[in-house]
Amino acid sequence: MPWTVYLSGEIHTDWRQRIEAGARERKLPVTFTSAVTDHDASDAAGDHLGAEDNAFWRDHKSAKVNAIRTKTLIEQADLVVVRFGDRYKQWNAAFDAGYCAALGKPYITLHDEALVHPLKEVDATALAWARTPEQVADILAYIITA
Amino acid sequence: MPWTVYLSGEIHTDWRQRIEAGARERKLPVTFTSAVTDHDASDAAGDHLGAEDNAFWRDHKSAKVNAIRTKTLIEQADLVVVRFGDRYKQWNAAFDAGYCAALGKPYITLHDEALVHPLKEVDATALAWARTPEQVADILAYIITA
Amino acid sequence: MPWTVYLSGEIHTDWRQRIEAGARERKLPVTFTSAVTDHDASDAAGDHLGAEDNAFWRDHKSAKVNAIRTKTLIEQADLVVVRFGDRYKQWNAAFDAGYCAALGKPYITLHDEALVHPLKEVDATALAWARTPEQVADILAYIITA
Amino acid sequence: MPWTVYLSGEIHTDWRQRIEAGARERKLPVTFTSAVTDHDASDAAGDHLGAEDNAFWRDHKSAKVNAIRTKTLIEQADLVVVRFGDRYKQWNAAFDAGYCAALGKPYITLHDEALVHPLKEVDATALAWARTPEQVADILAYIITA
Amino acid sequence: MPWTVYLSGEIHTDWRQRIEAGARERKLPVTFTSAVTDHDASDAAGDHLGAEDNAFWRDHKSAKVNAIRTKTLIEQADLVVVRFGDRYKQWNAAFDAGYCAALGKPYITLHDEALVHPLKEVDATALAWARTPEQVADILAYIITA
Amino acid sequence: MPWTVYLSGEIHTDWRQRIEAGARERKLPVTFTSAVTDHDASDAAGDHLGAEDNAFWRDHKSAKVNAIRTKTLIEQADLVVVRFGDRYKQWNAAFDAGYCAALGKPYITLHDEALVHPLKEVDATALAWARTPEQVADILAYIITA
Amino acid sequence: MPWTVYLSGEIHTDWRQRIEAGARERKLPVTFTSAVTDHDASDAAGDHLGAEDNAFWRDHKSAKVNAIRTKTLIEQADLVVVRFGDRYKQWNAAFDAGYCAALGKPYITLHDEALVHPLKEVDATALAWARTPEQVADILAYIITA
Amino acid sequence: MPWTVYLSGEIHTDWRQRIEAGARERKLPVTFTSAVTDHDASDAAGDHLGAEDNAFWRDHKSAKVNAIRTKTLIEQADLVVVRFGDRYKQWNAAFDAGYCAALGKPYITLHDEALVHPLKEVDATALAWARTPEQVADILAYIITA
């Protein structure tokens, strides 16, 4: 049975590529989906509908256009991996985790030990906490093929 | 008709007291609820069930005990106000916002202009963005008594 | 058992007052709720959070603030009455009807015979079509006290 | 991942064809669905079940038969585009938008600037407002292929 | 904790009165609700909105007005008792049972042994089958006060 | 887009075959599903799990085994057709209609004019009433191919 | 805000009384609910509806009558405590836990260390594991009054 | 129409193989799914994410990793078979039954007569009780091909 896994969060490191490579090596029947990970394209998502002078409304418009994609893909996913890195606020990642929690959609967090305390509420409803992308690939292999 | 408003997020400034004072002055029929806002008590919530050596599991246990309260109160609320300050990660606040979004529960954000860009996904599904607690009280007065 | 009835739509005639008077005369245990019906106050709902230069965003901000009230009151209602008059677009009334239809919330429409054809989709999922506010009061009396 | 997009509203201009052409040019994996757009056939939908003398019931019967199609296709869609033109009441389009809002189904509105004020409630829960069919095609291209 | 029990079905015998008397004797904190049980008033429910020539549409209009009441009261009930007598089609009673089954609302059937075979699908999702109103009162006493 | 249509009710006439033939002639992409229509096999469904002495429990056991099939197929259907003939109680058909109504699943009734009055509650939430299987096929052709 | 707590499971020790006493001492605004805890009365619940020869069906009938109470009270509860003792199968307690998990209803388990391994799936979706009734009372005091 | 059947419970006898063999012999279009049935692998599921000293947390971590699989597969199944053997606590099987009951997901129990009394609550919401795997295969054949 094929699985769909949505990869949420940090866009500045290669964690997505490493999970995808791990799944390929293990020949897992997984389709990965994600938000638009090109930062500039994502910030400009709303510009397709006309420019905005006001920074708040430009962000607002772009965030809503991006939500068409993210909301749909999260709801179609069987599992969500939520990644927190050591830079930036990453509130969208925590938002996605809360969204999954309310839907009863299983999610895994991926972050370093240093973030354990501030992420305790996010981890509390996660079904697993991984420290490395390779651990995520191991978990996928286990749940899909064991 | 009485309203129940849950106040989520930052615990280091007096924003809750200012919203509550604003509601009292305006004589609004609002009951305010909240997570436990005593930081040390909140971190120790799980200790009632026995001590833990491991920092991750201590946090995990406490976060789950706190979730009994927060999940119940958020689901009983008519409206949630989510506050982001200028310090700390505050991922639990963004998590609560995502939780509300998935439930279709109305929420308002409360934060400074400086946080507009990193909060754009959280603001995108909010029904209002306020800069001050007094604005929140004004909005409550408007929606309840206008 | 007390009923809560939300009155949606037209704000330029006295149909709300006539339904409420009819319920009072018939001594029905009904609480009526409604959007803010002061047109200028409603258009300015978002101004409590700061002025906007752009007409679209001013409307957007106000509509969302109003939605905190309307969404909550519609979901709390046992029955919704949706009124269409002979002027203005009244798309918000049709929107409320669609919202009720998807929730499985019972609603009644109130409009003249002249509007039957353009309202056929809205009437198709309504549980009744009334021509006058007095007919609505009669129906309320019947369903509550018969 | 293929997308299904339901096109709701106005049937007197070629906006559907222009969105579909835009999607074809951009080679997007999108299936478009719609209500029956032949006005006379749609009004006569109930006549398959016998003629009606009374105008209200003829409309009622046809609207319900059409609802078998529209309700099913809207619920199967990943995204709905709701178009408002400058003529007619178009309450069915606003009804569809409200239906989507209650389901949490993402929708985009498509209308001219002149309609911004009367559509503010409908736009408030939309994820985007487009002025032209080409903008809709651009948004589809962005969310599907970016 | 007070219970609300909806009594659905047959209107030609005194089974409702006997259950209510049984609950009074046992001093149970139960509120009983019901459809309009005056047959002529129920058939004429739609006449408040104008007369109809066509028998189908008169029935249709009345049935929908009655549904405002029955749908609301069934959804508010903690338990539904569905009674089948030995005369008439009583399809509305079976319809109410199916409605409860889909909602996960507990219901009890009340009918003679002679109806066991034709009611087997209705009984299959009921939580109890009673032969007499007194048995229903006994069950209420047990579940509420034991 | 292929449709799945569940055919509920009467098993003593050839209405299913006539609808299926009508769909084939019109080359409609429809899959038809149904309860087990062999009366004896259906009554004996529970005997696979051991014989029962008591008539009530034999019926109960069979009805539950049949429910595995009917519940699943109804929930998978896009549309349900509920047929009432002139013989037998047919409470299972009315039960299926109520089940659909609560799920918001579209259904059509199929019955003669003579049954209009006792079926008024069942017809009130149906999206169409057909008198002949050929009318059902016409409606299917219209909603799928118009 | 008053809380309702359902106490599920073991009926052979005084754990319910100890939690209730703990809540009284701490003056907590909690209403406790429960299944019928008189073993013989519970086994005989269905006998109100007539005797059964067959042991399976007697149990079946009683279990369904009891479900009217337990299902309703669990769904009305804000929190469920599920107790496992050292004797008997106690599958009904694990069933209640699974029921809560699917509803997203918060629950706490109460059991000795010796049962940790066989209860790992039940504990995995619990929000807390307590070893003593007094710990449960402490947790209630914390979440309600902290 | 292909069916997906999840097999929950006992891992120490060959009941899964016997049901699968029965389905193969009867050429049924059924896909069977299951938890990881290798006991040691299942207990070690969380070790992929790092070792734990504390027995409770090791079990907790593994149970949650396993839940990613079991929750997803149960929700995707059309039918669940829950097997209880004569050894071990098997609380996870009862938990799965309760989970299905709350979701309205059909399930069948499979157990000996000796377990009837302690399983009465689990059987009360099951759609069938089978004594042998071959009976399960017979039921599958009946519901899928009759």
Side-chain angles (χ1 to χ4, degrees):
Chain A
M1 212 165 277
W3 284 65
T4 302
V5 177
Y6 183 87
L7 304 174
S8 167
E10 196 200 24
I11 58 175
H12 301 92
T13 65
D14 65 349
W15 68 278
R16 281 184 180 78
Q17 289 70 28
R18 287 166 61 190
I19 291 175
E20 292 175 20
R24 263 196 314 275
E25 283 162 28
R26 290 162 181 81
K27 298 191 196 305
L28 304 179
V30 179
T31 302
F32 292 98
T33 57
S34 189
V36 172
T37 56
D38 174 329
H39 196 166
D40 291 341
S42 172
D43 281 0
D47 296 351
H48 297 281
L49 301 168
E52 295 293 333
D53 297 328
N54 180 303
F56 178 81
W57 295 117
R58 189 199 179 215
D59 275 345
H60 196 70
K61 200 158 73 165
S62 291
K64 284 187 156 179
V65 167
N66 284 319
I68 299 172
R69 173 177 171 127
T70 56
K71 180 176 158 63
T72 301
L73 296 181
I74 287 175
E75 294 184 4
Q76 290 175 344
D78 298 307
L79 177 66
V80 174
V81 181
V82 190
R83 163 71 184 161
F84 294 88
D86 56 3
R87 294 191 306 164
Y88 306 104
K89 297 294 190 184
Q90 307 175 81
W91 283 320
N92 58 323
F95 178 89
D96 285 353
Y99 196 88
C100 290
L103 292 181
K105 173 89 57 190
Y107 70 94
I108 293 177
T109 59
L110 171 60
H111 59 81
D112 289 346
E113 192 131 18
L115 299 182
V116 160
H117 192 63
L119 280 171
K120 64 182 184 298
E121 287 86 4
V122 174
D123 284 339
T125 49
L127 286 181
W129 161 44
R131 286 173 182 81
T132 68
E134 287 67 35
Q135 285 181 328
V136 175
D138 283 345
I139 290 296
L140 290 176
Y142 170 75
I143 60 173
I144 297 175
T145 65
Chain B
M1 215 165 274
W3 284 66
T4 301
V5 177
Y6 183 88
L7 304 175
S8 166
E10 197 200 23
I11 58 173
H12 301 90
T13 65
D14 65 349
W15 68 277
R16 281 184 181 78
Q17 289 70 27
R18 287 165 61 189
I19 291 176
E20 292 175 21
R24 263 197 314 275
E25 283 162 26
R26 289 161 182 82
K27 299 189 195 307
L28 303 179
V30 179
T31 301
F32 292 99
T33 57
S34 189
V36 172
T37 56
D38 175 329
H39 197 164
D40 292 340
S42 172
D43 281 0
D47 297 351
H48 297 282
L49 301 168
E52 295 293 332
D53 297 328
N54 180 303
F56 178 81
W57 295 117
R58 188 198 179 216
D59 275 345
H60 196 70
K61 200 158 73 165
S62 291
K64 284 186 156 180
V65 168
N66 284 318
I68 299 173
R69 174 176 170 127
T70 56
K71 179 175 158 64
T72 300
L73 296 182
I74 287 176
E75 293 184 5
Q76 289 175 345
D78 298 307
L79 177 66
V80 175
V81 181
V82 190
R83 163 71 184 162
F84 293 87
D86 55 4
R87 293 191 305 166
Y88 306 104
K89 297 294 191 184
Q90 309 176 79
W91 283 321
N92 58 324
F95 179 88
D96 285 352
Y99 196 87
C100 289
L103 293 181
K105 172 89 57 189
Y107 70 95
I108 295 177
T109 59
L110 171 61
H111 60 81
D112 288 346
E113 192 131 19
L115 298 183
V116 159
H117 192 63
L119 280 171
K120 64 182 184 300
E121 287 86 3
V122 174
D123 283 340
T125 49
L127 286 182
W129 161 44
R131 287 173 182 80
T132 67
E134 287 67 36
Q135 285 181 329
V136 174
D138 284 346
I139 290 297
L140 289 176
Y142 170 75
I143 60 173
I144 296 174
T145 65
Chain C
M1 215 165 274
W3 284 64
T4 301
V5 177
Y6 183 88
L7 303 174
S8 166
E10 197 200 24
I11 58 173
H12 301 92
T13 65
D14 64 350
W15 68 278
R16 280 184 180 80
Q17 289 70 28
R18 287 166 62 190
I19 291 176
E20 292 175 20
R24 262 196 315 275
E25 283 163 27
R26 290 160 182 81
K27 299 190 195 308
L28 304 179
V30 179
T31 301
F32 293 98
T33 57
S34 190
V36 172
T37 56
D38 174 330
H39 196 165
D40 292 340
S42 172
D43 281 0
D47 297 351
H48 298 282
L49 301 169
E52 295 293 332
D53 297 328
N54 180 303
F56 178 80
W57 295 117
R58 187 196 179 219
D59 276 346
H60 196 70
K61 201 158 72 166
S62 291
K64 284 187 156 179
V65 168
N66 283 318
I68 299 172
R69 174 176 171 126
T70 56
K71 180 176 159 62
T72 300
L73 296 181
I74 288 176
E75 295 184 3
Q76 289 175 345
D78 298 307
L79 176 66
V80 174
V81 180
V82 190
R83 163 70 184 162
F84 294 87
D86 55 4
R87 295 190 305 166
Y88 306 105
K89 297 294 190 184
Q90 308 174 79
W91 284 321
N92 58 325
F95 178 89
D96 285 353
Y99 196 87
C100 289
L103 293 182
K105 172 90 57 190
Y107 70 95
I108 294 177
T109 59
L110 172 60
H111 60 81
D112 288 346
E113 191 131 19
L115 299 182
V116 159
H117 192 64
L119 280 171
K120 64 182 184 297
E121 287 86 3
V122 174
D123 284 340
T125 49
L127 285 181
W129 161 45
R131 286 172 181 82
T132 68
E134 287 67 35
Q135 285 181 329
V136 174
D138 284 345
I139 290 295
L140 289 176
Y142 171 75
I143 60 172
I144 296 175
T145 65
Chain D
M1 214 165 274
W3 284 64
T4 301
V5 177
Y6 183 88
L7 304 174
S8 166
E10 197 200 23
I11 58 173
H12 302 93
T13 65
D14 64 350
W15 68 279
R16 281 185 179 77
Q17 290 69 29
R18 286 166 61 190
I19 291 176
E20 291 175 20
R24 263 196 314 275
E25 283 162 27
R26 289 160 182 82
K27 300 190 194 306
L28 304 179
V30 179
T31 302
F32 292 98
T33 58
S34 190
V36 171
T37 56
D38 175 330
H39 196 164
D40 292 341
S42 172
D43 281 359
D47 297 351
H48 297 281
L49 301 168
E52 295 293 332
D53 297 328
N54 180 302
F56 177 80
W57 294 117
R58 187 196 180 218
D59 276 345
H60 196 71
K61 200 157 73 165
S62 291
K64 284 187 156 179
V65 167
N66 284 318
I68 299 172
R69 173 178 171 125
T70 56
K71 179 176 159 64
T72 300
L73 295 181
I74 287 176
E75 294 183 4
Q76 290 175 345
D78 298 307
L79 177 66
V80 174
V81 181
V82 189
R83 163 70 184 162
F84 294 88
D86 56 4
R87 293 192 306 166
Y88 306 105
K89 297 294 190 184
Q90 308 174 79
W91 284 320
N92 58 324
F95 179 89
D96 285 353
Y99 196 88
C100 289
L103 294 181
K105 173 89 57 189
Y107 70 94
I108 294 177
T109 59
L110 171 60
H111 60 82
D112 288 346
E113 191 131 17
L115 299 182
V116 159
H117 191 65
L119 280 170
K120 64 181 183 299
E121 287 86 4
V122 175
D123 284 339
T125 49
L127 286 180
W129 162 43
R131 287 173 182 81
T132 67
E134 287 67 35
Q135 285 181 329
V136 174
D138 284 345
I139 290 296
L140 289 176
Y142 171 75
I143 60 172
I144 296 174
T145 65
Chain E
M1 213 166 274
W3 284 65
T4 302
V5 177
Y6 183 89
L7 303 174
S8 167
E10 197 199 24
I11 58 174
H12 301 91
T13 65
D14 64 349
W15 67 279
R16 281 184 181 77
Q17 289 71 27
R18 286 166 61 190
I19 291 176
E20 292 174 21
R24 261 198 313 277
E25 283 162 26
R26 288 161 182 82
K27 298 191 195 308
L28 304 179
V30 179
T31 302
F32 293 98
T33 57
S34 189
V36 172
T37 55
D38 174 330
H39 196 166
D40 292 340
S42 172
D43 281 1
D47 297 351
H48 297 282
L49 302 169
E52 295 293 332
D53 297 329
N54 181 303
F56 177 81
W57 294 117
R58 187 195 180 219
D59 276 344
H60 196 70
K61 201 159 71 165
S62 290
K64 284 187 156 180
V65 168
N66 283 318
I68 299 172
R69 174 176 170 128
T70 55
K71 180 178 158 62
T72 300
L73 295 181
I74 287 176
E75 295 185 3
Q76 289 174 344
D78 299 306
L79 176 66
V80 175
V81 180
V82 190
R83 162 72 185 161
F84 293 88
D86 56 3
R87 293 190 306 166
Y88 306 104
K89 297 295 191 182
Q90 308 174 80
W91 284 321
N92 58 325
F95 178 88
D96 285 352
Y99 196 88
C100 290
L103 293 182
K105 173 90 56 190
Y107 71 93
I108 294 176
T109 58
L110 171 60
H111 59 81
D112 289 346
E113 193 132 19
L115 299 182
V116 159
H117 192 63
L119 280 170
K120 64 183 184 297
E121 287 85 4
V122 174
D123 283 339
T125 49
L127 286 181
W129 161 44
R131 286 172 182 82
T132 67
E134 287 67 36
Q135 284 180 329
V136 174
D138 284 344
I139 290 296
L140 289 176
Y142 170 75
I143 61 173
I144 296 176
T145 65
Chain F
M1 214 165 275
W3 284 64
T4 302
V5 177
Y6 183 88
L7 303 174
S8 166
E10 198 201 23
I11 58 173
H12 302 91
T13 66
D14 65 349
W15 68 278
R16 282 185 179 78
Q17 290 70 29
R18 286 166 62 190
I19 291 176
E20 292 175 20
R24 262 197 314 275
E25 283 162 26
R26 289 162 181 81
K27 299 190 195 308
L28 304 179
V30 179
T31 302
F32 292 99
T33 57
S34 190
V36 172
T37 56
D38 175 329
H39 197 165
D40 292 340
S42 173
D43 281 359
D47 297 351
H48 297 281
L49 301 169
E52 295 293 332
D53 297 327
N54 180 302
F56 178 80
W57 295 117
R58 187 195 181 219
D59 275 345
H60 197 70
K61 200 158 71 165
S62 291
K64 285 187 156 178
V65 168
N66 283 319
I68 299 172
R69 174 176 170 125
T70 56
K71 180 176 158 64
T72 300
L73 295 181
I74 287 176
E75 293 184 5
Q76 289 175 344
D78 298 308
L79 177 66
V80 174
V81 181
V82 189
R83 163 71 183 161
F84 294 87
D86 55 4
R87 293 191 305 166
Y88 306 104
K89 297 293 189 183
Q90 307 174 80
W91 283 321
N92 59 323
F95 179 88
D96 285 353
Y99 196 87
C100 290
L103 294 181
K105 173 89 55 189
Y107 69 94
I108 294 177
T109 58
L110 171 61
H111 60 81
D112 288 346
E113 192 132 19
L115 299 182
V116 159
H117 192 63
L119 281 170
K120 63 182 185 298
E121 288 85 3
V122 174
D123 283 341
T125 49
L127 286 181
W129 161 44
R131 287 173 182 81
T132 66
E134 287 67 36
Q135 284 180 329
V136 174
D138 284 345
I139 290 296
L140 289 176
Y142 170 75
I143 59 172
I144 295 175
T145 65
Chain G
M1 214 166 275
W3 284 66
T4 301
V5 177
Y6 183 88
L7 304 175
S8 166
E10 197 200 24
I11 58 174
H12 302 91
T13 65
D14 65 349
W15 68 277
R16 280 184 180 79
Q17 289 71 27
R18 286 166 61 191
I19 291 176
E20 290 175 22
R24 262 197 314 276
E25 283 162 27
R26 289 162 182 81
K27 299 191 195 309
L28 304 179
V30 179
T31 302
F32 292 98
T33 57
S34 189
V36 172
T37 55
D38 174 329
H39 198 165
D40 291 339
S42 173
D43 280 0
D47 297 352
H48 298 282
L49 301 168
E52 295 293 331
D53 297 328
N54 180 303
F56 178 80
W57 295 117
R58 187 195 179 218
D59 275 344
H60 195 70
K61 201 158 71 165
S62 290
K64 284 188 155 180
V65 168
N66 283 318
I68 298 173
R69 173 175 171 127
T70 56
K71 180 177 158 62
T72 300
L73 295 181
I74 287 176
E75 294 184 4
Q76 289 175 345
D78 298 308
L79 177 66
V80 175
V81 180
V82 190
R83 163 71 184 162
F84 293 87
D86 55 4
R87 293 190 306 166
Y88 305 104
K89 297 294 191 184
Q90 308 175 77
W91 284 320
N92 59 324
F95 179 88
D96 286 352
Y99 196 86
C100 289
L103 293 182
K105 172 89 56 190
Y107 71 94
I108 294 177
T109 58
L110 172 61
H111 59 81
D112 289 345
E113 193 132 16
L115 299 182
V116 160
H117 192 64
L119 280 170
K120 64 182 184 298
E121 287 85 5
V122 174
D123 283 339
T125 50
L127 286 181
W129 161 44
R131 286 172 182 81
T132 67
E134 288 66 36
Q135 284 181 330
V136 174
D138 283 345
I139 290 296
L140 289 176
Y142 171 75
I143 60 173
I144 295 175
T145 65
Chain H
M1 214 165 276
W3 284 65
T4 302
V5 177
Y6 183 88
L7 304 174
S8 167
E10 196 200 26
I11 58 174
H12 302 92
T13 64
D14 64 349
W15 68 278
R16 282 185 180 78
Q17 289 70 28
R18 287 165 62 190
I19 291 176
E20 292 175 21
R24 261 196 315 275
E25 283 163 26
R26 290 161 181 82
K27 298 189 196 304
L28 304 179
V30 179
T31 302
F32 292 98
T33 57
S34 190
V36 172
T37 55
D38 175 329
H39 197 166
D40 291 340
S42 174
D43 280 359
D47 297 351
H48 297 282
L49 300 168
E52 294 293 332
D53 297 327
N54 180 303
F56 178 81
W57 294 117
R58 188 197 179 216
D59 275 344
H60 196 69
K61 200 158 72 164
S62 290
K64 284 187 154 178
V65 168
N66 283 319
I68 299 173
R69 174 177 171 126
T70 56
K71 180 177 158 63
T72 301
L73 296 181
I74 287 176
E75 294 184 4
Q76 289 175 345
D78 298 308
L79 177 65
V80 175
V81 180
V82 189
R83 162 70 185 163
F84 294 87
D86 54 5
R87 293 191 306 166
Y88 307 104
K89 297 294 190 183
Q90 307 176 78
W91 283 322
N92 59 324
F95 179 89
D96 285 353
Y99 196 88
C100 289
L103 293 181
K105 173 90 55 190
Y107 70 93
I108 293 176
T109 59
L110 171 61
H111 59 81
D112 289 345
E113 193 131 17
L115 299 182
V116 160
H117 192 64
L119 279 171
K120 64 181 185 297
E121 288 85 4
V122 174
D123 284 340
T125 50
L127 287 181
W129 161 44
R131 287 173 183 80
T132 67
E134 287 66 37
Q135 285 181 329
V136 174
D138 284 344
I139 290 296
L140 290 176
Y142 171 75
I143 61 173
I144 296 175
T145 65

